Amino acid sequence: MTKLLTAITVAATCLIVAPAGAQTYPSRPITLVVPFAAGGPTDTISRIFAARLGTSLGQTVVVENTTGAAGTIGTGKVVRAAPDGYTVLIGHWSTHVVNGAIYPLTYDLLNDFAPISLIASNPQLLVAKKAIPAKDLKELIAWVKANQDKVSAGTAGAGAASHVSGVYFQSVTGTKFTFVPYRGTGPALQDVVAGNLDLMFDQAASALPQVRNGNVRAFAVTSKTRLTSAPDIPTVDEAGMPGFYIAVWHALWLPKGTPKDIVMRLNAAVREALADPAVRSRLIELGQDIPATDQQTPEALYAYHKAEIEKWHPIIKAAGIKAE
Ligand code: MLT
């Protein structure tokens, strides 16, 4: 009888204590870790969500850029953070798919995270400095071939989307050039604007504003259809690289072991953001595809992420893409 009473008391205490934590969540600012440099696509997308999530949650969401090694440093930091809902990670196709095939990671990309939701997906733009005398993609490829010992392309590190896209471009076009790694495509693109780098693949989220301002030239978008917000940029099919489709999807994760009700509180805030017309129009202006509502669940992110790993790891290994 005494044992039974003790068990009931323990169970009752747990019932009282567990929901209390979730009910008061969040009671302090949340950190959103961006594993790439400020000014790049992941940073740009993170800041749109940080502001809107903060409104839904009634707490500030602070963006922290923890950069290096194609996003593996910031990603590893979140894996080791307390699973209490106060450290959230924004990652994407390369941090959560490609890096697993080329880096000896100390974490499991699928199972060391609690997924929150997919948030957006965008194609790459092939951009080049204004001084390059090429009118279209065919002329750009010819110019690269004629100057291949001198041509440089910026990346966010080996394995980043910008790097994998460049390696794919080299193999499809038979070109060679030198990759220059940065801690994110934000600073790399600044060097294309300044004329210190010749070209690069960068996601629409950060490349489009520079194209619109006339600071760099866009030669193709890696999607089947032109972007509604940038109808002048030809698709890869139109420009002469048929089928060269690349979409970089972004998503949010927490460390494994985060209580389900906290995961769902954040998921609800993401859903509110994705339903907000102001957020939607900002994302569309930046060339983003917004996930359908049935894709905005933790389960849908887990399933999609798993399928992407199964699809891409053999391709990346066969392409011989290395961390160095
Ligand atoms: C960034 O934000 O710098 C990019 O997402 C990096 C990349 O090309 O993967």
Side-chain angles (χ1 to χ4, degrees):
M1 187 62 181
T2 318
K3 272 190 191 159
L4 180 62
L5 279 176
T6 309
I8 290 170
T9 311
V10 169
T13 309
C14 289
L15 279 175
I16 293 161
V17 170
Q23 274 161 16
T24 55
Y25 173 85
S27 59
R28 58 187 166 87
I30 294 168
T31 300
L32 175 55
V33 175
V34 175
F36 295 102
T42 306
D43 180 72
T44 302
I45 293 167
S46 77
R47 285 172 199 274
I48 295 171
F49 280 88
R52 187 58 182 79
L53 295 182
T55 306
S56 286
L57 296 165
Q59 280 292 341
T60 309
V61 177
V62 181
V63 171
E64 179 190 288
N65 299 86
T66 301
T67 65
T72 57
I73 311 251
T75 304
K77 180 176 177 176
V78 175
V79 170
R80 293 186 301 275
D84 56 9
Y86 290 97
T87 310
V88 178
L89 175 71
I90 179 170
H92 65 40
W93 171 71
S94 71
T95 60
H96 277 69
V97 177
V98 179
N99 286 351
I102 67 168
Y103 284 93
L105 299 177
T106 55
Y107 47 83
D108 182 316
L109 281 173
L110 257 182
N111 297 312
D112 282 343
F113 295 90
I116 299 174
S117 179
L118 280 166
I119 54 171
S121 171
N122 65 170
Q124 299 272 35
L125 300 190
L126 172 55
V127 296
K129 67 180 181 187
K130 288 192 295 181
I132 291 179
K135 284 194 301 298
D136 55 26
L137 180 64
K138 286 188 179 139
E139 288 189 14
L140 179 69
I141 293 168
W143 181 86
V144 172
K145 283 185 176 160
N147 294 280
Q148 60 183 24
D149 293 341
K150 290 179 278 182
V151 174
S152 56
T155 76
S162 38
H163 177 238
V164 177
S165 308
V167 172
Y168 184 25
F169 176 82
Q170 288 182 323
S171 80
V172 166
T173 58
T175 51
K176 287 202 179 92
F177 46 81
T178 305
F179 290 110
V180 184
Y182 290 71
R183 297 178 91 84
T185 55
L189 190 60
Q190 287 303 328
D191 267 348
V192 180
V193 171
N196 301 327
L197 281 177
D198 294 310
L199 53 92
M200 66 182 292
F201 281 89
D202 195 13
Q203 294 166 53
S206 62
L208 264 185
Q210 295 291 5
V211 174
R212 284 195 190 112
N213 289 339
N215 293 333
V216 295
R217 290 173 55 211
F219 287 83
V221 57
T222 65
S223 49
K224 283 188 187 164
T225 54
R226 293 189 181 205
L227 294 172
T228 47
S229 62
D232 293 345
I233 304 172
T235 67
V236 278
D237 294 334
E238 295 166 332
M241 281 201 303
F244 192 97
Y245 307 133
I246 300 168
V248 183
W249 49 269
H250 279 84
L252 299 180
W253 286 270
L254 291 152
K256 174 180 79 173
T258 306
K260 187 72 182 169
D261 39 14
I262 289 180
V263 175
M264 294 319 290
R265 179 77 189 89
L266 282 160
N267 176 269
V270 169
R271 284 171 170 274
E272 278 177 38
L274 290 172
D276 181 335
V279 171
R280 294 178 77 84
S281 77
R282 180 88 185 101
L283 290 173
I284 290 164
E285 180 190 295
L286 290 173
Q288 307 298 305
D289 272 338
I290 298 168
T293 46
D294 65 348
Q295 292 303 302
Q296 297 171 12
T297 65
E299 295 74 22
L301 170 55
Y302 186 89
Y304 183 61
H305 183 188
K306 185 166 182 290
E308 285 281 281
I309 287 175
E310 285 162 3
K311 171 181 167 183
W312 284 102
H313 278 198
I315 298 172
I316 290 158
K317 285 178 184 162
I321 296 172
K322 299 268 182 338
E324 294 173 11

